Amino acid sequence: EDNKQSSTSSALSFNAVLDPSNPLGFLESAFNFVSENSDMFNTDSVEKKISSLVKNIKERTMKEEAAKKEHETKEKEEIKEKPKPKLNPNKDNGVDMENHSWGQNLQEVTVTVPVPLGTKSRDVVCDVKKDYLKVGLNGQTPIVDGQLFETVKPNDSYWSLEDQKVISLLMTKCDKISWWKSLLKGGPEIDTQMAEPEKSKLSDLDMETRSTVEKMMFDQRQKKLGLPTSQEIENQNMLKQFMAQNPNFDITNAKMF
């Protein structure tokens, strides 16, 4: 009989799926199975062992979950903090995009948008606001649409349709002393340290500025050659003129202020 009972017990099988999110559920199923098929739970020592086992399982599960969350948080922070690579600017100090390109100097921003050959001016949508730009064609998804990287002067901005195939836009910057990193906020950024200013000509300057710059350039050349600057030449000429008008004046006793 004992052999028969042992054979029956060994024929019992326990089937349950361990859900990592609910390990105690699996343990409870195991306990129910053991309780129904044996007298294992009738002793105090077993209860203490099981309590210790449950405690260990809970602590281990909590540690694993905490480690998993910490790892996920760290990965998100690394992705968030990783800076976007900066592009080398194109020849116009901007970026050539798939469906448009833009460039700049310190005073202006230019945008070039290719459109189908035969496009008419009435087909063009060009909306320039102080901090917003939209360019495209009527009835179609805008080609350029978003918040400008910096502000512009809408009244000093102009667009034209060249050869019925290219929209050309010029916008005047409000801040004329810095380079834009991007045309639109969130767009690809250039390395502004690689931007090259235009080679200016003295003939492009107003008369007063041009005169001042020429004087500064003359003085620099004179200093390098060890010759008097424009101010020193002017002082010498004034002294010569004074001596010519006052030939009897003894300059040796004069006090210079």
Side-chain angles (χ1 to χ4, degrees), residues 3 33 35 49 51-52 79 97 104 139 213 231 240 249:
N3 291 337
F33 177 82
S35 176
K49 290 180 180 179
S51 297
S52 176
I79 293 174
M97 305 291 288
Q104 64 177 320
V213 172
Q231 184 62 49
K240 289 178 181 179
F249 182 79

Side-chain angles (χ1 to χ4, degrees), residues 77-210:
E77 290 178 350
E78 288 178 351
I79 293 174
K80 183 178 180 180
E81 294 176 358
K82 188 176 181 180
K84 295 180 180 179
K86 293 183 178 180
L87 305 174
N88 289 332
N90 61 18
K91 61 181 180 62
D92 298 317
N93 296 319
V95 177
D96 295 324
M97 305 291 288
E98 183 178 353
N99 55 6
H100 71 279
S101 65
W102 70 277
Q104 64 177 320
N105 55 38
L106 289 176
Q107 293 79 34
E108 301 165 339
V109 175
T110 58
V111 182
T112 303
V113 183
V115 291
L117 182 62
T119 297
K120 306 295 184 183
S121 296
R122 62 175 178 271
D123 300 324
V124 175
V125 175
C126 189
D127 185 11
V128 180
K129 292 184 172 60
K130 186 176 182 180
D131 58 356
Y132 171 80
L133 173 65
K134 179 167 70 174
V135 181
L137 299 176
N138 281 316
Q140 299 184 22
T141 302
I143 300 171
V144 180
D145 187 14
Q147 189 173 4
L148 291 168
F149 189 80
E150 295 289 352
T151 55
V152 298
K153 298 178 180 180
N155 293 335
D156 292 336
S157 301
Y158 311 93
W159 68 269
S160 62
L161 181 62
E162 300 178 0
D163 299 327
Q164 295 186 321
K165 63 179 181 179
V166 176
I167 300 173
S168 181
L169 171 65
L170 183 148
M171 297 181 292
T172 301
K173 294 180 178 179
C174 289
D175 176 4
K176 299 184 179 182
I177 60 173
S178 60
W179 298 104
W180 287 18
K181 294 181 180 179
S182 177
L183 175 63
L184 304 178
K185 289 187 176 180
E189 295 188 358
I190 64 168
D191 184 354
T192 54
Q193 294 184 353
M194 300 290 289
E196 297 184 4
E198 288 183 318
K199 295 181 179 179
S200 59
K201 301 177 181 178
L202 289 178
S203 58
D204 296 333
L205 304 175
D206 60 84
M207 291 300 295
E208 183 178 357
T209 304
R210 178 178 175 179

